[in-house]
Every structure is written in structure tokens, then in C-alpha cells.
């Protein structure tokens, strides 16, 4: 069930005196309000009505921080009145007067929520953080007042129970199913006492997860690693050293050097740093982030979040949070996800040990008298890559200039596959000067939507990269998507070209894959539109678009030397591809470890979580959980340790019991890449087929069926294992994968595997 009922992303109509909705349809809420004598207030201020900018894009210049609290309070009051009108309707419950009416409620709340939470993620301030702390539990309580309302649920259930006698489109049927099942999942069938306890748990979780998010961001952005001497940074570029000096001055350490942490455990500057002690200092500052080493400690927050989640699951009769949380996933059960991941562990552990031995040999050859540690890993892995595959990371970057990556790479791919074209515009207000804006035109030349691109790292932005909407596509409202991508690329000093690593090239293609999923949405209802899909499906369309970053035709169009204009040599591209299977022990291992750690937290009972009553016990639980996996965790720690694992401890639920999704969707991605290669690659026919079967379908149908409509069969894991150089039960990571390895991982209706 999309969060429109949960209020924080509500997206339905603001009621006015007129009872006719867009398209000439009657407004079921307004009609019910009139019939029931319920008064629905009108909002005031900027968010009370649609923006008058193109595509209903938000006018950031018209909003101040003081506008948010009044707007949230008005919007919640309006939606509450709309819900009262639905409940008080004297007519028998119908799909239109109950399900569609519920879908249409809370449109003002949707407007303010989308803008506010976009800013708290990408350009926050102390005041916005204060507002977030204040408003999040109120929004949670508001959402609970809807999903846990017995009278409202009685109407929804009446419609659901009568569904066999109704004539509905498939999308109507899906909306009805999602609405009913979402309310049941929220607690509609619980006793009064249980529902009250769920409300209390949700309120406390909202407060705690907001606090965790803010603490994790502060531990990353507000606590850079300070180095006393320039020699500590030997190996870094002059630009990086200058940036470190500037940051140190900004943070109150003039004459010293500061490196800001990035969100993952590994840090991007480590491979270039020649001073081993300095590498260890930077890595350990990242690894011990928010674990009490400084004044920020999230460990007790984590334990309490886990305890509350486990208690909530128990109220629903579920053994743990993972079982409760995975109710609407493609994989459906923790066992399916765990079985999927655990089959990778033996060959992955063997790969880690073998690669560690190779790296230690390289250290010895380099004159070192020590075994490889995590802070050494990428430095020597990159050296081996450079020697074995003749790869020079710095030389590669000279072919990747950000504006060309986006406009001549990503946009070019979108034109060739889908017929899209793009027009840069500077007439729209943005929330930060670094944001770029484009109108997107469809294959027939019509306007498809609006795209915002926010590429650069800054202290006011949380780590990572993401996509979301300012406006969702909806035929019900006649709205077109307004979408933004946010990245965290270190910004080049003024006057220098903005070059990016190949990892950031991949990320740019990845996030625009999410954007395409949103742009190609073709749904009537917002709650089913675009990326409103299961957590373990939503990363799939974004991942598959990474394949085009190195597709020869695309690469030739954007990968040109920033000084000479020379196209990247094919030999360099071949070496990139050849090197892609090397270092999987770390690249893949840190993600698998994080995904399995997530499931360990989600598998706790209330009593087990409550027993983690000291920070030391939290540390021990994390350590024991990782050791049980059989991976070489001292060599390859998880991509995120628990204390800064924003994906699973921040926000309403995020990727909790769902970080495995990145691996699950990689399986779908790699299998889809195989299909594209076998069917001609970068062609409009292929793009149109993928758009029709996957990208335009939103959350309207079974995901295994959707994949089968695209590929003509169920997904297979073999292409993923081939791409990673892993074979179950075979310690040779670069061995060939036999055709009789794991084949189908799921089929429609087969609950043991899907």
C-alpha cells in the first residue's frame, strides 16, 4: 500500500467548493461531504493549491521555512475532514465513494510532504531538522488515525468483500487489493488495545528513526577526519589537498587538513593515500562512526528500534520484523531472501581469502611487512588492476566530464532506446544553485515531464544517491511527473573541469534509470504509479540501465577527453570490462554482508532485542551476527555498520529487512542485460518493449508476471553469478558457470520461491 494513506506522501485532491474533479468526473469526497453535512476546511498559503509553474513544479522561491508547520497542520486537518466525509457518507460503500475517495484524499499534504522531505534529504538546515523532529511523529499519528480507523476500514472491507460482483479494470482491482491489504497490515484487524499499542509504537519509531537519521548525518558531515601534516595526504591530487585545507579552515582547524566522510564504510580517497597510518586513521574514523568513539552514539537507538519493530510484528502474530515487513515483496518471505543470499556465501568467502592472499603478496612485493587490512584493500587492488589490466583510474576520469556524461551519455541512451529528447532550462526556481533542470520530451515530441539533477556533495545533503518525485504521474489528476535525481559527487574547485570516476558514471546512469521508471508511468492512480513498486523490485529498472554506460555506441558519444576531445580508447574500455570481475571479494562481499546484517537485525524477537540493553551488547550482536555468516568480515566489513546504516534504521521502514533487494534486483538486472544483448542491444524496438512491459507498469501487477512479459520466461540467477565471477560450490571465482546451475528463482504463484 503506497504511503498516501500513511499521509507523509499523500497525493490526492484538495477539496474545494466545486464538486467536479479534473476530467469532468464527480468528486466523491465533495459529494459525500455535502450529503453527510461534513465541513471540509480550505487551506491557505502556498501549498493550498497546485503550483502555477510548468508541470506543477514547486516554486522554491515562494516558500520559507516558517511555512511548513502551518502547512502540515492545515493539510492534516483537511485530510482528516475528508476521511470523516467518506465515513459519514449515507450511501452504501462503493469503489468510487470509498476506495477512490480515499485515494484522492490528502492532496495538500502530498504537496508539502514532497517538498519538505526533498529538502531535508538534499539541502537541510538546523531549522528544517527541528521541524522534521517535531512533525514526523505527528504525521505518523495522522497516518495511523486513517489506517487504523474501524469505521473507515468497515467501508473498505465492504467493498473488498463485494469485489467478485464488481466490474473493475485491473488497475482498479489492484488499488482495491492494496488498500484493503495495506490497512490489514497496518492493524485494522487487531483488537482496540492492540491498535492503540501499534499507534504508540509507530509514534516512538518515528521519533527514534528521525533522530537516528540526523545523528548519522551529523557523524558523517559534521565530524571530518583531521590531519596535521600535508605529508599525511601524500598521493592525493593537488585539488584534493586544497579542498582538505579549505575544509579544515571552515571547521576551525586552520593550517591543517580535513577529509569529510562519505556514507559507506570504505572511503573514496583511501586508494590514493600513500601513508598507511593516515589510511588507517581515515578508515577507522568511518568504521567507528556514531558508535560512541565521538560524542555521537546511535547504538541504544538501534536496539530500541529493533525491539519496537519486533514487538509490533508480534502483535500481528509474526515471529519477527522481517516476516512482517516482507508482506508485499516480490520475494515474500525471509527464507526466500536468505536462501538466495546464502548460496553465494561459500564461493564469496573463498574469493575473499584468495584475493586477500594476492593483495598481501602485492604488499610484500611493494616492500611492506604486513597483511592486507581493509584500509589497504583498495589501494593494492587498484594497483593490481592497473598492472594486470593496465588501468589508470585518474587517466580514466579524464574521459568522464559530468555534463557530457549526463547530456551526451545518459540522455543519448534515453533517446536511442526510448526516443526521448531534453531541453535545459534556467527559468524555474531551484532549491540550490547547483541544481540543473530539463524538460523531457516523449517519442512523439510531446512534453513528458520535468527533470531536476542535483549532482554535488555538500554538508546539507545526506550521503548516497537517490531519485524521487515532486509531482507524481496520474491520469486521475492529469499530472505529469516532476522527478529529481540526487548524487554526492565531490565538486571540483572553481575553474577546474568537473571530472568524475567511473563509479559515479554508473551511478548517474543508475539514478536516471529510476527517473525513467517514473517518467514512463502510465497509471490512473498515484499510489500505483511509476516507482510505487515492491522494495525488491524498484532497484531493478535502475540497475539494468547501468549496462548502457559502457555500451560502445553510447560510450563513444560521451566519453571524450576533457582536453583533447579524443574518444576513450576501445582498449581502455575492454580493460574496464575485463577488470570488472576482479575484486569481487570486497565489492560484492561488503554488500552481501550488509544485506545479511540487516536480516539479522530484522530476525530478532522482542526479548532478544530487549536483551541488547548496553552499547557493548549491540557491538557484540553485530560482531557475532557477521561472524556466523562465514564471510571474512575482518577483511571485508559490511558496506554499512549498524551505527550508520541509514537504509534500515532511518525513516518509516526504509530498506529494513530489504537491503537484500539490491542483490535480488541485480539478478533481474543481469538476466535482463542478457536479454538485451541477445536481442540486438540498443534499439528503439527493445526500448519500447521494455517500456511497455516493465517501465510503464508501475505497481499494477505481479512482478514475476511482469518480468516474464518482458523476457518470455522467469528470471535466472546464472547471469548474475557469471557477471560477479562466482559459482555456487566452486572456489574458483573466475570459473565458467555451467548451464545446469541454479536456474529459475521464482515463478508466479509458487510461494516457496517467489
Amino acid at each position: 500500500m503506497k504511503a498516501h494513506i500513511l499521509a507523509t506522501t499523500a497525493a490526492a485532491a484538495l477539496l474545494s467548493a466545486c464538486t467536479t474533479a479534473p476530467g469532468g468526473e464527480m468528486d466523491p469526497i465533495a459529494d459525500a461531504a455535502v450529503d453527510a453535512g461534513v465541513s471540509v476546511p480550505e487551506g491557505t498559503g502556498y501549498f493550498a493549491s497546485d503550483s502555477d509553474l510548468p508541470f506543477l513544479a514547486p516554486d522554491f522561491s515562494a516558500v520559507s521555512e516558517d511555512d511548513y508547520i502551518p502547512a502540515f497542520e492545515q493539510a492534516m486537518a483537511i485530510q482528516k475532514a475528508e476521511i470523516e466525509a467518506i465515513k459519514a457518507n449515507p450511501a452504501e460503500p462503493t469503489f468510487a465513494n470509498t476506495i477512490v475517495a480515499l485515494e484522492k484524499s490528502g492532496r495538500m499534504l502530498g504537496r508539502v510532504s514532497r517538498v519538505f522531505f526533498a529538502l531535508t534529504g538534499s539541502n537541510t538546515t538546523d531549522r528544517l531538522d527541528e521541524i522534521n523532529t517535531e512533525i514526523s511523529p505527528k504525521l505518523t499519528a495522522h497516518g495511523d488515525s486513517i489506517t487504523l480507523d474501524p469505521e473507515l476500514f468497515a467501508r473498505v472491507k465492504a467493498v473488498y468483500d463485494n469485489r467478485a460482483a464488481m466490474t473493475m479494470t485491473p488497475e482498479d482491482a489492484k488499488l482495491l487489493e492494496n488498500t484493503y491489504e495495506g490497512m490489514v497490515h497496518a492493524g485494522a484487524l487487531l483488537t482496540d488495545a492492540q491498535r492503540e499499542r501499534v499507534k504508540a509504537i509507530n509514534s516512538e519509531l518515528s521519533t527514534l528513526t528521525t533522530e537516528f537519521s540526523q545523528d548519522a548525518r551529523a557523524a558523517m558531515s559534521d565530524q571530518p577526519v583531521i590531519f596535521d601534516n600535508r605529508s599525511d595526504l601524500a598521493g592525493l591530487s593537488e585539488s584534493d589537498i586544497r579542498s582538505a585545507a579549505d575544509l579544515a579552515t571552515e571547521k576551525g582547524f586552520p593550517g591543517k587538513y580535513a577529509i569529510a566522510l562519505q556514507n559507506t564504510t570504505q572511503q573514496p580517497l583511501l586508494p590514493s593515500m600513500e601513508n598507511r597510518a593516515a589510511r588507517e586513521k581515515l578508515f577507522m574514523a568511518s568504521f567507528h562512526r556514531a558508535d560512541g568513539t565521538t560524542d555521537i552514539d546511535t547504538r541504544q537507538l538501534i536496539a530500541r528500534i529493533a525491539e519496537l519493530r519486533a514487538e509490533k510484528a508480534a502483535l500481528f502474530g509474526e515471529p519477527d520484523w522481517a516476516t512482517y515487513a516482507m508482506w508485499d515483496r516480490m520475494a515474500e518471505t525471509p527464507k526466500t531472501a536468505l536462501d538466495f543470499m546464502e548460496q553465494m556465501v561459500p564461493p564469496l568467502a573463498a574469493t575473499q581469502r584468495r584475493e586477500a592472499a594476492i593483495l598481501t603478496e602485492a604488499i610484500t612485493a611493494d616492500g611492506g611487512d604486513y597483511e592486507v587490512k581493509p584500509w589497504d584493500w583498495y589501494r593494492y587492488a587498484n594497483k593490481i588492476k592497473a598492472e594486470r589490466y593496465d588501468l589508470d583510474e585518474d587517466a580514466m576520469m579524464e574521459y568522464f566530464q559530468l555534463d557530457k556524461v549526463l547530456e551526451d551519455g545518459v540522455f543519448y541512451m534515453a533517446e536511442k532506446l526510448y526516443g526521448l529528447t531534453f531541453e535545459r532550462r534556467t527559468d524555474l526556481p531551484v532549491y540550490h544553485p547547483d541544481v540543473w533542470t530539463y524538460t523531457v520530451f516523449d517519442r512523439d515530441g510531446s512534453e513528458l515531464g520535468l527533470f531536476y539533477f542535483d549532482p554535488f556533495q555538500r554538508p546539507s545533503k545526506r550521503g548516497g544517491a537517490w531519485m524521487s518525485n515532486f509531482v507524481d504521474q496520474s491520469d486521475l489528476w492529469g499530472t505529469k511527473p516532476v522527478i529529481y535525481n540526487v548524487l554526492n559527487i565531490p565538486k571540483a574547485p572553481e575553474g577546474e573541469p568537473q571530472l568524475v570516476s567511473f563509479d559515479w558514471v554508473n551511478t548517474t546512469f543508475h539514478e536516471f534509470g529510476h527517473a525513467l521508471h517514473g517518467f514512463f508511468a502510465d497509471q490512473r492512480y498515484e499510489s500505483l504509479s511509476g516507482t510505487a513498486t515492491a522494495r525488491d523490485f524498484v532497484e531493478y529498472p535502475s540497475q539494468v540501465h547501468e549496462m548502457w554506460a559502457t555500451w560502445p555506441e553510447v560510450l563513444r558519444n560521451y566519453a571524450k577527453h576533457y582536453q583533447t576531445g579524443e574518444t576513450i580508447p576501445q582498449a581502455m574500455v575492454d580493460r574496464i570490462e575485463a577488470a570488472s570481475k576482479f575484486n569481487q571479494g570486497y565489492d560484492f562481499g561488503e554488500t552481501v554482508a550488509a544485506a545479511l546484517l540487516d536480516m539479522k537485525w530484522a530476525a530478532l524477537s522482542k526479548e532478544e532485542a530487549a536483551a541488547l540493553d548496553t552499547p557493548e551488547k549491540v557491538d557484540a550482536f553485530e560482531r557475532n551476527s557477521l561472524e556466523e555468516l562465514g564471510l571474512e568480515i575482518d577483511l571485508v566489513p559490511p558496506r554499512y555498520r549498524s551505527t550508520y546504516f541509514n537504509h534500515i534504521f532511518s525513516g518509516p521502514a526504509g530498506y529494513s529487512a530489504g537491503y537484500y533487494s539490491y542483490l535480488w534486483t541485480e539478478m533481474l538486472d543481469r538476466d535482463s542485460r542478457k536479454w538485451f544483448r541477445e536481442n540486438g542491444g540498443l534499439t528503439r524496438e527493445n526500448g519500447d518493449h521494455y517500456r511497455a512491459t516493465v517501465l510503464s507498469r508501475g505497481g499494477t501487477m505481479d512482478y514475476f508476471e511482469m518480468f516474464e512479459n518482458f523476457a518470455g520466461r522467469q528470471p535466472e540467477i546464472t547471469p548474475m553469478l557469471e557477471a560477479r565471477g562466482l559459482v555456487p560450490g566452486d572456489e574458483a571465482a573466475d570459473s565458467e558457470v555451467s548451464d545446469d546451475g541454479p536456474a529459475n528463482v521464482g515463478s508466479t504463484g509458487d510461494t516457496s520461491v517467489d
Side-chain angles (χ1 to χ4, degrees):
M1 181 178 211
K2 197 178 179 183
H4 74 290
I5 289 181
L6 298 181
T8 56
T9 56
L14 171 65
L15 182 64
S16 66
C18 176
T19 61
T20 303
E25 299 179 2
M26 298 306 292
D27 189 321
I29 302 178
D31 292 341
V34 171
D35 293 343
V38 175
S39 175
V40 179
E42 293 189 22
T44 60
Y46 172 76
F47 293 105
S49 59
D50 284 333
S51 167
D52 58 6
L53 293 180
F55 303 96
L56 312 185
D59 186 351
F60 297 100
S61 66
V63 184
S64 75
E65 292 179 347
D66 293 335
D67 293 330
Y68 288 110
I69 290 292
F72 273 121
E73 290 176 344
Q74 284 188 46
M76 286 187 283
I78 290 170
Q79 190 177 31
K80 184 176 180 180
E82 291 170 339
I83 298 303
E84 289 302 313
I86 296 171
K87 290 161 49 181
N89 192 337
E92 289 296 312
T94 66
F95 181 78
N97 71 21
T98 300
I99 307 304
V100 175
L102 186 54
E103 170 78 9
K104 295 177 78 171
S105 70
R107 197 173 188 204
M108 180 179 177
L109 190 53
R111 292 191 199 100
V112 62
S113 295
R114 283 190 288 263
V115 172
F116 177 77
F117 289 109
L119 293 183
T120 56
S122 58
N123 196 36
T124 197
T125 65
D126 289 344
R127 178 58 185 144
L128 290 178
D129 284 345
E130 291 172 359
I131 295 170
N132 196 1
T133 299
E134 177 182 349
I135 204 65
S136 290
K138 293 180 180 179
L139 288 170
T140 298
H142 174 71
D144 286 343
S145 74
I146 298 172
T147 55
L148 296 175
D149 187 311
E151 293 179 62
L152 179 64
F153 179 67
R155 291 187 67 92
V156 170
K157 186 175 186 301
V159 180
Y160 182 77
D161 289 345
N162 191 44
R163 64 193 183 281
M166 298 164 56
T167 300
M168 294 183 290
T169 67
E171 190 175 340
D172 289 343
K174 186 64 173 174
L175 178 66
L176 174 58
E177 175 187 317
N178 282 9
T179 303
Y180 175 79
E181 292 182 354
M183 294 185 79
V184 170
H185 186 70
L189 294 179
L190 299 179
T191 66
D192 290 346
Q194 288 172 328
R195 283 197 297 272
E196 289 306 308
R197 181 56 189 151
V198 166
K199 290 179 183 179
I201 289 172
N202 289 347
S203 178
E204 187 174 353
L205 281 173
S206 178
T207 299
L208 294 175
T209 56
T210 299
E211 184 179 350
F212 179 91
S213 175
Q214 293 174 357
D215 284 352
R217 186 180 64 240
M220 178 182 69
S221 61
D222 296 347
Q223 298 186 337
V225 185
I226 306 299
F227 295 92
D228 294 330
N229 304 307
R230 181 186 174 94
S231 60
D232 293 334
L233 306 188
L236 299 186
S237 68
E238 284 299 317
S239 173
D240 286 332
I241 293 173
R242 189 162 62 250
S243 294
D246 291 344
L247 181 60
T249 300
E250 178 187 327
K251 294 295 183 180
F253 298 93
K256 297 188 178 185
Y257 303 86
I259 296 178
L261 295 176
Q262 297 206 25
N263 62 321
T264 56
T265 301
Q266 274 290 343
Q267 296 296 298
L269 294 182
L270 284 171
S272 300
M273 297 174 69
E274 296 173 359
N275 185 315
R276 188 172 191 242
R279 287 201 305 273
E280 181 177 4
K281 180 178 180 179
L282 177 57
F283 179 88
M284 296 304 284
S286 175
F287 183 82
H288 286 293
R289 206 179 325 165
D291 70 356
T293 303
T294 66
D295 60 345
I296 298 176
D297 192 341
T298 61
R299 288 175 292 179
Q300 291 300 89
L301 279 176
I302 291 166
R304 182 59 178 160
I305 290 168
E307 181 182 4
L308 289 169
R309 287 173 173 173
E311 181 186 355
K312 182 175 177 178
L315 288 170
F316 286 84
E318 300 293 1
D320 51 50
W321 175 255
T323 305
Y324 171 79
M326 290 181 67
W327 70 286
D328 63 347
R329 304 276 173 81
M330 185 176 179
E332 288 193 354
T333 68
K335 184 178 187 306
T336 302
L338 285 168
D339 288 349
F340 166 70
M341 290 188 287
E342 286 176 355
Q343 66 181 301
M344 306 171 193
V345 169
L348 181 55
T351 299
Q352 290 175 337
R353 291 190 292 271
R354 187 180 63 257
E355 290 184 347
I358 293 171
L359 297 178
T360 297
E361 287 178 9
I363 290 169
T364 301
D366 199 34
D369 185 22
Y370 53 88
E371 294 186 352
V372 67
K373 297 293 183 183
W375 48 90
D376 306 312
W377 191 291
Y378 275 98
R379 177 167 179 78
Y380 287 93
N382 286 357
K383 282 189 173 186
I384 292 172
K385 271 189 177 183
E387 295 166 1
R388 184 178 295 182
Y389 304 104
D390 193 21
L391 277 181
D392 183 333
E393 301 284 345
D394 291 336
M396 268 200 304
M397 284 180 63
E398 295 178 355
Y399 292 92
F400 301 133
Q401 193 165 331
L402 181 59
D403 58 341
K404 294 186 180 299
V405 170
L406 180 67
E407 296 182 352
D408 297 340
V410 172
F411 290 174
Y412 180 80
M413 170 271 293
E415 179 185 4
K416 292 300 178 182
L417 270 180
Y418 307 112
L420 304 188
T421 53
F422 303 82
E423 182 179 295
R424 180 80 179 265
R425 58 191 306 166
T426 57
D427 60 320
L428 297 175
V430 291
Y431 57 83
H432 191 278
D434 286 340
V435 177
W436 310 350
T437 313
Y438 298 83
T439 299
V440 185
F441 297 92
D442 207 348
R443 53 196 172 192
D444 62 358
S446 63
E447 291 182 332
L448 182 62
L450 195 63
F451 177 60
Y452 292 73
F453 184 63
D454 179 4
F456 299 127
Q457 182 184 25
R458 53 180 172 267
S460 60
K461 184 186 287 187
R462 66 178 172 88
W466 62 94
M467 163 271 181
S468 194
N469 286 51
F470 288 125
V471 179
D472 290 328
Q473 178 275 336
S474 168
D475 291 343
L476 185 65
W477 295 109
T479 51
K480 295 183 177 182
V482 178
I483 290 173
Y484 57 94
N485 279 175
V486 181
L487 285 71
N488 265 283
I489 298 170
K491 191 174 183 180
E494 188 71 28
E496 294 189 14
Q498 183 61 58
L499 305 179
V500 296
S501 68
F502 186 68
D503 283 345
W504 280 117
V505 172
N506 257 337
T507 301
T508 307
F509 276 81
H510 175 104
E511 294 305 329
F512 197 76
H514 281 307
L516 289 169
H517 200 182
F519 280 126
F520 291 149
D522 188 19
Q523 278 69 58
R524 177 172 176 77
Y525 305 114
E526 281 184 332
S527 62
L528 299 173
S529 178
T531 57
T533 65
R535 179 64 70 195
D536 56 2
F537 187 84
V538 74
E539 293 295 332
Y540 155 50
S542 55
Q543 286 177 316
V544 79
H545 282 88
E546 293 179 28
M547 74 176 290
W548 308 114
T550 54
W551 195 260
E553 181 183 348
V554 178
L555 199 65
R556 286 194 298 269
N557 202 63
Y558 78 88
K560 299 181 184 295
H561 197 278
Y562 79 101
Q563 289 176 319
T564 67
E566 172 198 5
T567 300
I568 191 169
Q570 185 59 44
M572 182 179 286
V573 178
D574 293 341
R575 291 193 292 271
I576 293 173
E577 296 285 358
S580 65
K581 291 183 183 179
F582 181 75
N583 203 36
Q584 289 306 302
Y586 211 113
D587 288 347
F588 194 47
E590 66 169 358
T591 301
V592 173
L596 289 167
L597 177 61
D598 166 34
M599 295 299 283
K600 290 286 187 178
W601 278 110
L604 287 171
S605 68
K606 178 187 174 183
E607 293 73 23
E608 289 170 334
L612 303 177
D613 54 2
T614 67
E616 292 73 23
K617 289 181 181 179
V618 172
D619 286 340
F621 170 77
E622 179 185 79
R623 177 79 190 177
N624 293 338
S625 296
L626 290 169
E627 286 181 340
E628 288 173 1
L629 303 177
L631 296 174
E632 297 295 325
I633 60 168
D634 287 328
L635 289 170
V636 184
R639 185 170 174 83
Y640 306 96
R641 285 190 66 215
S642 305
T643 54
Y644 48 93
F645 205 161
N646 254 312
H647 288 74
I648 67 171
F649 291 118
S650 174
Y655 278 80
S656 176
Y659 198 73
Y660 76 90
S661 300
Y662 287 101
L663 305 172
W664 182 269
T665 54
E666 184 181 347
M667 170 191 66
L668 304 177
D669 153 38
R670 292 294 181 173
D671 202 7
S672 297
R673 296 188 195 201
K674 178 182 178 183
W675 183 93
F676 274 108
R677 287 193 298 269
E678 291 175 347
N679 288 275
L682 188 80
T683 69
R684 272 294 303 280
E685 182 180 5
N686 286 344
D688 288 346
H689 175 64
Y690 192 59
R691 175 176 178 171
T693 55
V694 176
L695 295 178
S696 65
R697 304 309 300 164
T700 62
M701 61 189 297
D702 178 87
Y703 301 110
F704 282 108
E705 181 183 352
M706 198 184 300
F707 187 91
E708 188 165 5
N709 288 345
F710 162 63
R713 54 172 172 72
Q714 287 296 299
E716 298 176 350
I717 196 173
T718 302
M720 174 186 178
L721 299 176
E722 290 177 325
R724 289 289 187 176
L726 298 171
V727 183
D730 188 343
E731 294 191 358
D734 55 357
S735 298
E736 293 296 321
V737 178
S738 66
D739 291 336
D740 58 354
N744 293 343
V745 298
S747 58
T748 304
D750 184 352
T751 57
S752 66
V753 289
D754 66 4

